[in-house]
Amino acid sequence: MTEKPKILVTRKLPQAVERQLEQNYQPLLNPDDRLYSTDELISLSEGAAAILPCHTEQLTAEVIDRLPDSIKIIANFSVGVDHCDLAAAKARGIVVTNTPDVLSEATAEIAILLMLGAARRASEGERMVRSQEWKDWSPDFMVGIQATGKRLGIIGMGRVGQVMARYARDAFGMEIHYHNRSRLPAELEAGATYYDTVEDLLPQCQFLSLHCPATPESIGLLNAKRIALLPEDAIVVNTARGALIEDEALHAALVSGKIAAAGLDVYNNEPTGIFPGYRDLTNIFLLPHIGSATRETRDAMGFRALANLDAYFAGKEPVDRVA
Ligand code: 8YV
């Protein structure tokens, strides 16, 4: 009988996923969920045929070049693959997969939460109640901005962007405007208005939600020049990647009031190195990268990563192959 392939699992996964992994593989699990250093990751990979990492593992070209020859596939537990140098993996003949589809609804839910939380001043209000600073009610107390019927701009109309568009349209009657690398077919566009360039889209966005991956082209996409194109009092939401935003520019626009509020779930240098100025602002709603953090979705992400491993080890093409 051939030996079950060894899989390095870098983080603690949902229990049901780990039990399933144990059926077909020899997983090297991380029950304490410790973040491995690069050296540890490389030495633990010795003799393994696959790595099942999260976006918390920086699989740069240098790291990939140092992986042992035994590694044949990197089956990510994430849809984003900006933490993984695909060209370096390809050059070494290492297959790379991700987990699309299964987290679109959970992430769009958080985008809606951020949109409403920022527009309706949720964290400011919550802090006020907790600290017993709430003393009075008046007609102008905690007045925010209504989402219903407004124009929502979406940059990146992929799977998550499309669900966000649907939720915003169906629940709040929002008018959807979007930019994407290419225009969607009419049935997926569902009445949304397409713009060829980000510059053309921005002046329409009373609300703006970012849903594109972080790539060399999109890093720093929302900079001071582009923020200036937004209408006064716009609201910016980011559930995609922190790298899409130039923090100093967003911070300045929140301080000056050019932007009414922002809702962020992802950050440059998260979790410990996030732009410090954000913490001092009241007009920002901050969450700790929990877009896909539901029981249902985390299970589904794990099983999707497993399905990719199963396909690979059965000699088939993994459905979510990205390199
Ligand atoms: C995940 C995400 O929590 O899948 C992604 O790309 O950003 C998150 O929703 C994370 O990546 C898990 O590795």
Side-chain angles (χ1 to χ4, degrees):
M1 211 179 90
T2 51
E3 243 202 0
K4 293 177 182 176
K6 292 196 176 75
I7 314 286
L8 172 62
V9 181
T10 63
R11 304 300 303 265
K12 187 170 163 41
L13 297 182
Q15 208 180 19
V17 176
E18 292 194 346
R19 294 299 80 80
Q20 180 72 33
L21 259 166
E22 281 165 339
Q23 303 286 310
N24 300 334
Y25 303 98
Q26 298 182 63
L28 180 58
L29 302 176
N30 182 357
D32 300 327
D33 201 30
R34 212 162 47 75
L35 201 56
Y36 295 141
S37 69
T38 296
D39 286 345
E40 277 176 306
L41 185 98
I42 288 160
S43 70
L44 289 168
S45 303
E46 221 38 78
I51 307 179
L52 198 165
C54 293
H55 80 281
T56 45
E57 280 64 63
Q58 289 309 309
L59 299 170
T60 60
E62 293 73 41
V63 174
I64 288 181
D65 286 346
R66 287 177 59 200
L67 289 176
D69 289 338
S70 59
I71 297 293
K72 305 294 177 215
I73 170 167
I74 297 172
N76 286 293
F77 180 91
S78 68
V79 66
V81 287
D82 48 301
H83 60 288
C84 183
D85 193 309
L86 300 185
K90 214 168 164 192
R92 287 206 56 191
I94 298 174
V95 170
V96 180
T97 60
N98 68 344
T99 57
D101 301 320
V102 291
L103 45 64
S104 307
E105 284 77 12
T107 307
E109 282 183 6
I110 287 290
I112 292 282
L113 176 64
L114 290 174
M115 180 175 82
L116 298 181
R120 301 302 297 273
R121 304 169 62 175
S123 31
E124 202 184 332
E126 213 236 8
R127 273 195 300 269
M128 198 179 282
V129 176
R130 283 182 190 273
S131 65
Q132 299 181 24
E133 279 164 50
W134 179 33
K135 304 283 185 214
D136 194 10
W137 184 94
S138 73
D140 69 350
F141 172 66
M142 287 287 298
V143 169
I145 293 175
Q146 191 147 314
T148 300
K150 297 279 170 61
R151 290 190 303 273
L152 169 65
I154 292 180
I155 300 181
M157 198 61 132
R159 301 169 183 91
V160 183
Q162 286 172 40
V163 179
M164 176 63 176
R166 173 159 54 87
Y167 289 175
R169 194 176 46 239
D170 293 355
F172 306 110
M174 297 182 87
E175 214 180 82
I176 311 300
H177 299 253
Y178 77 102
H179 167 73
N180 196 45
R181 272 172 301 188
S182 54
R183 187 170 177 175
L184 300 185
E187 68 273 18
L188 294 183
E189 215 172 49
T193 308
Y194 177 69
Y195 298 80
D196 266 334
T197 68
V198 172
E199 281 71 19
D200 288 341
L201 169 71
L202 290 173
Q204 306 301 325
C205 304
Q206 292 170 299
F207 287 76
L208 173 68
S209 192
L210 304 180
H211 294 285
C212 53
T215 62
E217 298 74 48
S218 68
I219 287 175
L221 175 138
L222 200 63
N223 55 23
K225 246 170 121 175
R226 293 210 174 100
I227 288 173
L229 297 174
L230 285 165
E232 296 301 306
D233 277 341
I235 292 192
V236 171
V237 168
N238 189 10
T239 52
R241 282 292 181 268
L244 302 177
I245 292 182
E246 282 189 5
D247 292 319
E248 288 194 6
L250 179 63
H251 181 260
L254 287 163
V255 170
S256 72
K258 159 73 190 170
I259 287 183
L264 306 179
D265 184 50
V266 287
Y267 308 85
N268 285 301
N269 306 315
E270 63 181 53
T272 52
I274 77 167
F275 189 77
Y278 287 151
R279 294 196 198 97
D280 303 327
L281 299 179
T282 47
N283 55 344
I284 190 163
F285 185 44
L286 305 171
L287 292 177
H289 199 150
I290 54 168
S292 66
T294 66
R295 293 173 188 173
E296 296 82 352
T297 292
R298 287 288 157 83
D299 278 357
M301 289 167 72
F303 288 119
R304 187 86 176 215
L306 247 163
N308 286 314
L309 287 175
D310 290 348
Y312 177 82
F313 288 108
K316 297 183 191 143
E317 180 74 1
V319 55
D320 303 316
R321 184 170 180 173
V322 290

